[in-house]
Amino acid sequence: MNLTDLTGTKYPIIQGGMANIATGEFAAAVSNAGGLGLVASGGMDAEALREQIKICKSKTDKPFGVNLMLMNPDVENIAQMLIEEKVQFITTGAGNPGKYMAGWKAMGAKVFPVVASVALAKVMVRSGADAVIVEGGESGGHVGDMTTMTLLPQVAAAVDVPIIAAGGIASGEQMAAVMLLGACGVQIGTCLLVSEECPIHDNYKEALIKAKDNATTVTGRSQGAPVRIIKNEMAREYLKLEAEGAGREELERITLGGLRRAVVDGDIIRGSVMAGQVCGQLSAIRPVADILDDLYVNAKHTLSNASTIAI
Ligand SMILES: Cc1cc2nc3c(=O)[nH]c(=O)nc-3n(C[C@H](O)[C@H](O)[C@H](O)COP(=O)(O)O)c2cc1C
Protein backbone atom coordinates (compact mmCIF):
# COMPACT_ATOMS: atom_id res chain seq x y z
CA MET A 1 0.00 0.00 0.00
CA ASN A 2 1.12 3.54 -0.74
CA LEU A 3 0.96 6.04 2.10
CA THR A 4 -1.06 8.43 -0.09
CA ASP A 5 -3.90 5.87 -0.15
CA LEU A 6 -4.05 6.17 3.64
CA THR A 7 -3.60 9.93 3.93
CA GLY A 8 -5.12 11.33 0.73
CA THR A 9 -2.09 13.60 0.31
CA LYS A 10 -0.20 14.35 -2.92
CA TYR A 11 3.07 12.91 -1.60
CA PRO A 12 3.76 9.91 0.68
CA ILE A 13 5.48 12.29 3.10
CA ILE A 14 4.55 13.23 6.68
CA GLN A 15 5.98 16.23 8.53
CA GLY A 16 7.02 14.93 11.95
CA GLY A 17 5.50 16.49 15.02
CA MET A 18 7.99 18.97 16.50
CA ALA A 19 7.25 20.41 19.93
CA ASN A 20 7.31 24.24 20.10
CA ILE A 21 7.80 24.36 16.32
CA ALA A 22 4.99 22.60 14.43
CA THR A 23 2.27 25.23 14.85
CA GLY A 24 -1.07 25.17 13.06
CA GLU A 25 0.29 27.58 10.49
CA PHE A 26 3.38 25.48 9.77
CA ALA A 27 1.40 22.23 9.55
CA ALA A 28 -0.98 23.93 7.09
CA ALA A 29 1.98 25.07 4.96
CA VAL A 30 3.21 21.47 4.74
CA SER A 31 -0.27 20.17 3.90
CA ASN A 32 -0.73 22.85 1.22
CA ALA A 33 2.62 21.75 -0.27
CA GLY A 34 1.39 18.16 -0.63
CA GLY A 35 2.62 16.47 2.56
CA LEU A 36 0.70 15.56 5.70
CA GLY A 37 1.27 18.42 8.14
CA LEU A 38 1.10 17.62 11.85
CA VAL A 39 0.34 20.08 14.62
CA ALA A 40 2.56 19.20 17.60
CA SER A 41 1.08 18.97 21.09
CA GLY A 42 4.36 19.21 23.05
CA GLY A 43 4.21 21.87 25.76
CA MET A 44 0.51 22.63 25.18
CA ASP A 45 -2.71 21.90 27.03
CA ALA A 46 -5.91 20.87 25.24
CA GLU A 47 -7.25 24.38 24.70
CA ALA A 48 -3.96 25.82 23.39
CA LEU A 49 -3.71 22.86 21.01
CA ARG A 50 -7.34 23.31 19.92
CA GLU A 51 -6.47 26.89 18.92
CA GLN A 52 -3.59 25.64 16.76
CA ILE A 53 -5.84 23.02 15.16
CA LYS A 54 -8.36 25.75 14.33
CA ILE A 55 -5.61 27.87 12.78
CA CYS A 56 -4.52 24.88 10.71
CA LYS A 57 -8.10 24.24 9.53
CA SER A 58 -8.46 27.90 8.54
CA LYS A 59 -5.30 27.83 6.44
CA THR A 60 -5.70 24.57 4.53
CA ASP A 61 -8.43 22.41 3.07
CA LYS A 62 -5.93 19.54 2.70
CA PRO A 63 -5.53 16.60 5.11
CA PHE A 64 -3.54 17.29 8.29
CA GLY A 65 -3.06 15.63 11.67
CA VAL A 66 -1.89 16.05 15.25
CA ASN A 67 1.10 14.55 17.05
CA LEU A 68 0.22 13.63 20.63
CA MET A 69 3.00 12.97 23.11
CA LEU A 70 1.30 10.63 25.59
CA MET A 71 3.37 11.97 28.49
CA ASN A 72 1.64 15.36 28.08
CA PRO A 73 0.12 16.23 31.52
CA ASP A 74 -3.18 17.14 29.80
CA VAL A 75 -3.33 13.96 27.72
CA GLU A 76 -6.86 12.94 28.77
CA ASN A 77 -8.38 16.28 27.73
CA ILE A 78 -6.33 16.36 24.53
CA ALA A 79 -7.45 12.84 23.57
CA GLN A 80 -11.10 13.94 23.96
CA MET A 81 -10.56 17.29 22.21
CA LEU A 82 -9.11 15.48 19.16
CA ILE A 83 -12.47 13.70 18.88
CA GLU A 84 -14.43 16.96 19.21
CA GLU A 85 -12.27 18.58 16.53
CA LYS A 86 -12.56 15.45 14.33
CA VAL A 87 -8.81 15.28 13.72
CA GLN A 88 -8.38 12.68 10.99
CA PHE A 89 -4.75 11.67 11.56
CA ILE A 90 -3.18 11.17 14.97
CA THR A 91 0.43 10.20 15.53
CA THR A 92 1.50 9.30 19.05
CA GLY A 93 4.79 9.13 20.91
CA ALA A 94 6.14 8.15 24.34
CA GLY A 95 3.64 5.50 25.31
CA ASN A 96 0.75 3.27 24.31
CA PRO A 97 -2.39 5.03 22.99
CA GLY A 98 -4.44 1.80 23.40
CA LYS A 99 -7.07 3.24 25.75
CA TYR A 100 -7.89 6.14 23.40
CA MET A 101 -7.96 4.06 20.25
CA ALA A 102 -11.66 3.04 20.26
CA GLY A 103 -12.87 6.65 20.63
CA TRP A 104 -10.53 7.95 17.95
CA LYS A 105 -11.43 5.14 15.54
CA ALA A 106 -15.19 5.61 16.13
CA MET A 107 -14.73 9.29 15.13
CA GLY A 108 -12.99 8.12 11.92
CA ALA A 109 -9.35 8.97 12.69
CA LYS A 110 -6.36 6.97 11.53
CA VAL A 111 -3.68 6.41 14.17
CA PHE A 112 0.04 6.09 13.44
CA PRO A 113 2.13 5.55 16.60
CA VAL A 114 5.87 6.26 16.47
CA VAL A 115 7.92 3.19 17.44
CA ALA A 116 11.62 2.59 18.03
CA SER A 117 11.56 -1.19 18.51
CA VAL A 118 9.95 -4.34 17.12
CA ALA A 119 8.30 -5.11 20.47
CA LEU A 120 6.59 -1.70 20.61
CA ALA A 121 5.49 -1.99 16.98
CA LYS A 122 3.75 -5.29 17.80
CA VAL A 123 2.01 -3.78 20.85
CA MET A 124 0.77 -0.84 18.76
CA VAL A 125 -0.59 -3.08 16.04
CA ARG A 126 -2.44 -5.14 18.68
CA SER A 127 -3.86 -1.84 20.03
CA GLY A 128 -5.33 -1.07 16.58
CA ALA A 129 -2.73 1.15 14.87
CA ASP A 130 -3.49 1.77 11.17
CA ALA A 131 0.24 2.10 10.42
CA VAL A 132 3.42 2.51 12.44
CA ILE A 133 6.07 5.18 12.09
CA VAL A 134 9.43 3.44 12.53
CA GLU A 135 11.95 5.99 13.77
CA GLY A 136 15.67 5.34 13.82
CA GLY A 137 18.09 7.07 16.20
CA GLU A 138 19.57 9.21 13.41
CA SER A 139 16.58 11.51 13.89
CA GLY A 140 16.39 14.76 15.77
CA GLY A 141 14.68 15.02 19.14
CA HIS A 142 14.03 12.00 21.39
CA VAL A 143 15.70 8.92 19.97
CA GLY A 144 15.86 5.16 20.36
CA ASP A 145 18.99 3.00 20.09
CA MET A 146 18.55 1.41 16.69
CA THR A 147 19.19 2.96 13.30
CA THR A 148 16.58 3.27 10.57
CA MET A 149 18.65 0.89 8.40
CA THR A 150 18.47 -1.92 10.96
CA LEU A 151 15.10 -1.31 12.61
CA LEU A 152 12.94 -0.83 9.52
CA PRO A 153 13.37 -4.27 7.92
CA GLN A 154 12.95 -5.97 11.29
CA VAL A 155 9.66 -4.20 11.97
CA ALA A 156 8.57 -4.86 8.37
CA ALA A 157 9.12 -8.58 8.96
CA ALA A 158 7.22 -8.53 12.26
CA VAL A 159 3.97 -6.63 11.55
CA ASP A 160 1.54 -6.49 8.65
CA VAL A 161 0.37 -2.85 8.79
CA PRO A 162 1.85 -0.15 6.52
CA ILE A 163 5.18 1.22 7.71
CA ILE A 164 6.33 4.83 7.54
CA ALA A 165 10.09 5.38 7.91
CA ALA A 166 11.54 8.24 9.95
CA GLY A 167 15.06 9.25 10.92
CA GLY A 168 17.84 10.10 8.49
CA ILE A 169 15.75 11.02 5.44
CA ALA A 170 16.49 14.30 3.67
CA SER A 171 17.14 13.28 0.06
CA GLY A 172 15.44 11.28 -2.68
CA GLU A 173 18.13 8.62 -2.42
CA GLN A 174 17.44 8.15 1.29
CA MET A 175 13.70 8.06 0.63
CA ALA A 176 14.23 5.46 -2.10
CA ALA A 177 16.36 3.37 0.24
CA VAL A 178 13.68 3.17 2.95
CA MET A 179 11.02 2.31 0.37
CA LEU A 180 13.25 -0.65 -0.62
CA LEU A 181 13.46 -1.66 3.04
CA GLY A 182 9.69 -1.96 3.35
CA ALA A 183 8.33 1.55 3.98
CA CYS A 184 5.26 2.91 2.17
CA GLY A 185 6.23 6.50 2.88
CA VAL A 186 8.40 8.71 5.06
CA GLN A 187 8.23 11.10 8.00
CA ILE A 188 10.73 13.95 7.97
CA GLY A 189 11.67 16.52 10.57
CA THR A 190 15.16 17.99 10.41
CA CYS A 191 15.13 18.91 6.71
CA LEU A 192 11.90 20.87 7.22
CA LEU A 193 13.50 22.98 9.95
CA VAL A 194 15.37 24.81 7.20
CA SER A 195 12.22 25.68 5.27
CA GLU A 196 11.24 29.32 4.80
CA GLU A 197 7.91 28.64 6.53
CA CYS A 198 9.38 26.95 9.62
CA PRO A 199 8.79 29.29 12.59
CA ILE A 200 12.18 28.88 14.28
CA HIS A 201 14.76 31.61 14.87
CA ASP A 202 17.08 32.34 11.92
CA ASN A 203 20.08 31.48 14.14
CA TYR A 204 18.69 27.92 14.48
CA LYS A 205 18.32 27.57 10.70
CA GLU A 206 21.82 28.94 10.12
CA ALA A 207 23.29 26.53 12.68
CA LEU A 208 21.74 23.65 10.72
CA ILE A 209 23.03 24.92 7.38
CA LYS A 210 26.56 25.24 8.84
CA ALA A 211 26.43 21.84 10.58
CA LYS A 212 28.78 19.06 9.45
CA ASP A 213 28.14 15.30 9.38
CA ASN A 214 29.20 14.80 13.00
CA ALA A 215 27.59 17.98 14.37
CA THR A 216 25.05 16.22 16.59
CA THR A 217 25.34 14.26 19.80
CA VAL A 218 22.93 12.46 22.13
CA THR A 219 22.39 13.78 25.64
CA GLY A 220 20.27 12.20 28.38
CA ARG A 221 21.22 8.54 27.93
CA SER A 222 22.02 8.29 31.66
CA GLN A 223 18.48 9.49 32.41
CA GLY A 224 16.80 7.03 30.04
CA ALA A 225 15.65 9.97 27.89
CA PRO A 226 18.13 10.35 25.03
CA VAL A 227 17.78 13.45 22.84
CA ARG A 228 19.73 14.23 19.66
CA ILE A 229 20.90 17.85 19.52
CA ILE A 230 23.62 19.97 17.95
CA LYS A 231 26.89 19.75 19.92
CA ASN A 232 27.11 23.22 21.45
CA GLU A 233 28.40 24.64 24.74
CA MET A 234 25.32 23.41 26.63
CA ALA A 235 25.56 19.90 25.13
CA ARG A 236 29.27 19.61 25.98
CA GLU A 237 28.64 20.70 29.57
CA TYR A 238 25.73 18.25 29.85
CA LEU A 239 27.81 15.34 28.52
CA LYS A 240 30.66 16.18 30.90
CA LEU A 241 28.28 16.23 33.88
CA GLU A 242 26.69 12.97 32.71
CA ALA A 243 30.13 11.34 32.51
CA GLU A 244 30.82 12.54 36.06
CA GLY A 245 27.60 10.86 37.23
CA ALA A 246 25.48 13.97 37.79
CA GLY A 247 21.90 13.42 38.94
CA ARG A 248 18.62 14.30 37.24
CA GLU A 249 18.11 17.64 39.00
CA GLU A 250 21.52 19.00 38.10
CA LEU A 251 21.13 17.88 34.49
CA GLU A 252 17.62 19.25 34.12
CA ARG A 253 18.80 22.64 35.32
CA ILE A 254 20.82 22.92 32.12
CA THR A 255 18.16 21.71 29.69
CA LEU A 256 15.01 23.18 31.21
CA GLY A 257 13.36 25.39 28.57
CA GLY A 258 16.28 24.68 26.25
CA LEU A 259 14.26 24.05 23.10
CA ARG A 260 12.32 27.29 23.50
CA ARG A 261 15.63 29.13 24.09
CA ALA A 262 16.85 27.89 20.72
CA VAL A 263 13.55 28.20 18.81
CA VAL A 264 12.32 31.55 20.13
CA ASP A 265 15.42 33.39 21.40
CA GLY A 266 17.83 31.98 18.83
CA ASP A 267 20.28 30.98 21.57
CA ILE A 268 22.23 28.31 19.75
CA ILE A 269 25.03 28.29 22.33
CA ARG A 270 23.02 27.46 25.49
CA GLY A 271 19.76 26.33 23.87
CA SER A 272 18.70 22.79 22.96
CA VAL A 273 19.19 22.82 19.19
CA MET A 274 17.42 19.56 18.34
CA ALA A 275 18.46 18.14 14.98
CA GLY A 276 19.01 14.84 13.25
CA GLN A 277 22.22 13.57 11.66
CA VAL A 278 21.00 14.68 8.21
CA CYS A 279 21.78 18.28 9.21
CA GLY A 280 25.19 17.81 7.56
CA GLN A 281 23.38 17.49 4.20
CA LEU A 282 21.40 20.72 4.45
CA SER A 283 22.71 23.63 2.42
CA ALA A 284 19.89 26.13 1.83
CA ILE A 285 16.73 27.61 3.28
CA ARG A 286 13.95 26.81 0.79
CA PRO A 287 10.16 26.83 0.58
CA VAL A 288 8.50 23.68 1.99
CA ALA A 289 7.04 22.96 -1.46
CA ASP A 290 10.54 22.78 -3.00
CA ILE A 291 11.78 20.44 -0.24
CA LEU A 292 8.85 18.04 -0.70
CA ASP A 293 8.95 18.18 -4.53
CA ASP A 294 12.69 17.44 -4.62
CA LEU A 295 12.40 14.59 -2.15
CA TYR A 296 9.62 12.91 -4.07
CA VAL A 297 10.90 13.51 -7.61
CA ASN A 298 14.43 12.37 -6.72
CA ALA A 299 13.12 9.27 -4.92
CA LYS A 300 11.09 8.32 -8.00
CA HIS A 301 14.09 8.93 -10.25
CA THR A 302 16.40 6.91 -7.99
CA LEU A 303 14.00 3.97 -7.85
CA SER A 304 13.41 3.93 -11.61
CA ASN A 305 17.18 3.97 -12.25
CA ALA A 306 17.96 1.35 -9.63
CA SER A 307 18.19 -1.48 -12.15
CA THR A 308 21.23 0.22 -13.72
CA ILE A 309 23.28 -0.14 -10.51
CA ALA A 310 25.97 -2.76 -10.97
CA ILE A 311 26.08 -5.46 -8.31
C1 LIG B 1 13.30 19.84 16.68
C2 LIG B 1 12.58 18.52 16.71
C3 LIG B 1 11.54 18.34 17.60
C4 LIG B 1 10.84 17.12 17.61
N1 LIG B 1 9.76 16.98 18.45
C5 LIG B 1 8.98 15.87 18.36
C6 LIG B 1 7.75 15.76 19.06
O1 LIG B 1 7.33 16.69 19.76
N2 LIG B 1 7.03 14.61 18.93
C7 LIG B 1 7.46 13.56 18.15
O2 LIG B 1 6.77 12.53 18.07
N3 LIG B 1 8.63 13.64 17.46
C8 LIG B 1 9.38 14.76 17.52
N4 LIG B 1 10.51 14.87 16.74
C9 LIG B 1 10.83 13.81 15.76
C10 LIG B 1 10.18 14.14 14.40
O3 LIG B 1 8.78 14.11 14.48
C11 LIG B 1 10.61 13.16 13.27
O4 LIG B 1 10.18 11.85 13.53
C12 LIG B 1 12.13 13.16 13.08
O5 LIG B 1 12.61 14.48 13.03
C13 LIG B 1 12.51 12.41 11.81
O6 LIG B 1 13.89 12.28 11.67
P1 LIG B 1 14.84 13.39 10.96
O7 LIG B 1 15.02 14.45 11.99
O8 LIG B 1 16.09 12.64 10.67
O9 LIG B 1 14.12 13.86 9.73
C14 LIG B 1 11.23 16.07 16.75
C15 LIG B 1 12.32 16.28 15.87
C16 LIG B 1 12.98 17.48 15.84
C17 LIG B 1 14.12 17.66 14.85
Side-chain angles (χ1 to χ4, degrees):
M1 173 186 270
N2 196 315
L3 180 57
T4 53
D5 297 332
L6 262 181
T7 55
T9 51
K10 180 177 175 194
Y11 297 133
I13 303 173
I14 299 179
Q15 161 246 313
M18 293 188 276
N20 295 306
I21 295 171
T23 56
E25 187 162 356
F26 182 59
V30 175
S31 289
N32 286 333
L36 184 73
L38 296 183
V39 183
S41 65
M44 274 190 249
D45 64 13
E47 290 317 306
L49 183 58
R50 192 197 298 273
E51 272 314 299
Q52 292 302 318
I53 291 169
K54 286 192 168 147
I55 290 170
C56 191
K57 281 179 184 167
S58 74
K59 291 187 179 285
T60 186
D61 56 1
K62 302 278 192 301
F64 73 93
V66 167
N67 169 249
L68 174 56
M69 294 304 277
L70 295 159
M71 281 167 70
N72 186 307
D74 204 26
V75 62
E76 297 294 331
N77 291 327
I78 293 179
Q80 180 55 36
M81 181 274 291
L82 296 180
I83 296 174
E84 291 158 15
E85 293 298 328
K86 298 188 171 50
V87 173
Q88 293 298 295
F89 299 94
I90 301 171
T91 71
T92 62
N96 183 352
K99 68 174 174 169
Y100 310 115
M101 209 65 108
W104 290 343
K105 289 292 198 59
M107 172 269 286
K110 295 197 170 71
V111 185
F112 309 155
V114 178
V115 301
S117 72
V118 169
L120 194 58
K122 286 182 173 171
V123 171
M124 295 303 165
V125 172
R126 276 201 298 277
S127 298
D130 297 279
V132 286
I133 300 171
V134 173
E135 188 185 71
E138 301 95 323
S139 75
H142 292 268
V143 292
D145 278 339
M146 290 185 71
T147 59
T148 303
M149 179 76 132
T150 53
L151 180 61
L152 186 54
Q154 295 186 58
V155 174
V159 301
D160 57 9
V161 296
I163 290 173
I164 298 145
I169 302 156
S171 73
E173 289 81 0
Q174 286 161 326
M175 181 165 171
V178 296
M179 302 302 275
L180 290 172
L181 291 174
C184 70
V186 298
Q187 171 167 292
I188 54 176
T190 301
C191 67
L192 288 174
L193 291 173
V194 292
S195 63
E196 283 173 6
E197 295 88 339
C198 187
I200 60 174
H201 199 284
D202 283 348
N203 293 354
Y204 198 142
K205 294 185 189 180
E206 279 158 26
L208 298 180
I209 299 286
K210 280 196 198 131
K212 302 233 170 0
D213 54 346
N214 62 354
T216 70
T217 187
V218 175
T219 56
R221 285 201 197 279
S222 66
Q223 303 303 304
V227 181
R228 186 173 294 285
I229 58 176
I230 295 277
K231 244 182 266 172
N232 59 6
E233 184 183 286
M234 183 277 289
R236 288 195 175 88
E237 185 182 334
Y238 190 106
L239 290 171
K240 183 166 173 283
L241 286 171
E242 263 192 311
E244 290 165 4
R248 180 173 297 263
E249 250 179 48
E250 194 177 355
L251 293 169
E252 275 181 357
R253 215 173 37 241
I254 301 181
T255 49
L256 197 69
L259 182 57
R260 284 194 72 81
R261 264 201 304 283
V263 168
V264 180
D265 307 337
D267 182 354
I268 55 163
I269 312 277
R270 298 297 304 177
S272 186
V273 187
M274 290 188 187
Q277 291 179 317
V278 293
C279 62
Q281 293 169 228
L282 307 174
S283 57
I285 296 167
R286 299 187 297 157
V288 167
D290 288 5
I291 296 172
L292 298 188
D293 287 349
D294 270 7
L295 200 55
Y296 181 73
V297 169
N298 289 330
K300 279 281 235 200
H301 179 77
T302 304
L303 286 171
S304 62
N305 285 347
S307 62
T308 62
I309 297 171
I311 187 164

